[in-house]
């Protein structure tokens, strides 16, 4: 999960914990990337950068909405089938078999 909003470290830590916590038998295996070089990164910029690698199908983004809303809806960016298509998912559903 890529952090693009740096307005609060406590919110970031809470979001990382929520996204990596097991939910029943499922768990989202993701790394939390905390690098200020990505501050304010847009979806278009992310898709352009991802075209060079092609190793990920989706990117998970901790943007201002994910960091500030009570249910912390993470922005999911399609990098494969429809690059740039987005939707949101709450942390407890990241590891769900229905999400894949």
């Amino acid at each position: 999960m890529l952090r693009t909003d740096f307005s609060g470290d406590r919110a970031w830590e809470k979001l990382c914990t929520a996204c990596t916590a097991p939910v029943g038998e499922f768990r989202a295996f993701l790394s939390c990337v905390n690098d200020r070089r990505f501050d304010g990164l847009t979806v278009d910029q992310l898709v352009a950068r991802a075209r060079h690698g092609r190793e990920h199908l989706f990117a998970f983004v901790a943007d201002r909405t994910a960091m500030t809303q009570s249910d912390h809806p993470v922005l999911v960016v399609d990098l494969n089938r429809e690059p740039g298509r987005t939707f949101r998912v709450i942390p407890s559903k990241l590891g769900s078999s229905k999400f894949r």
Side-chain angles (χ1 to χ4, degrees), residues 47-58:
V47 170
R49 287 180 183 214
R51 286 190 179 137
H52 300 291
R54 292 284 187 204
E55 60 192 60
H56 299 289
L57 301 177
F58 294 95

Side-chain angles (χ1 to χ4, degrees), residues 68-89:
T68 59
Q69 289 190 2
S70 62
D71 58 349
H72 302 291
V74 174
L75 181 66
V76 182
V77 181
D78 186 342
L79 301 174
N80 186 37
R81 290 194 173 186
E82 295 177 51
R85 177 180 64 99
T86 63
F87 59 94
R88 292 198 178 266
V89 63

Side-chain angles (χ1 to χ4, degrees), residues 2-4 37-46 49 61:
L2 186 63
R3 182 179 184 182
T4 63
R37 290 182 297 168
F38 301 116
D39 189 15
L41 187 75
T42 67
V43 169
D44 290 337
Q45 291 168 331
L46 175 59
R49 287 180 183 214
V61 180

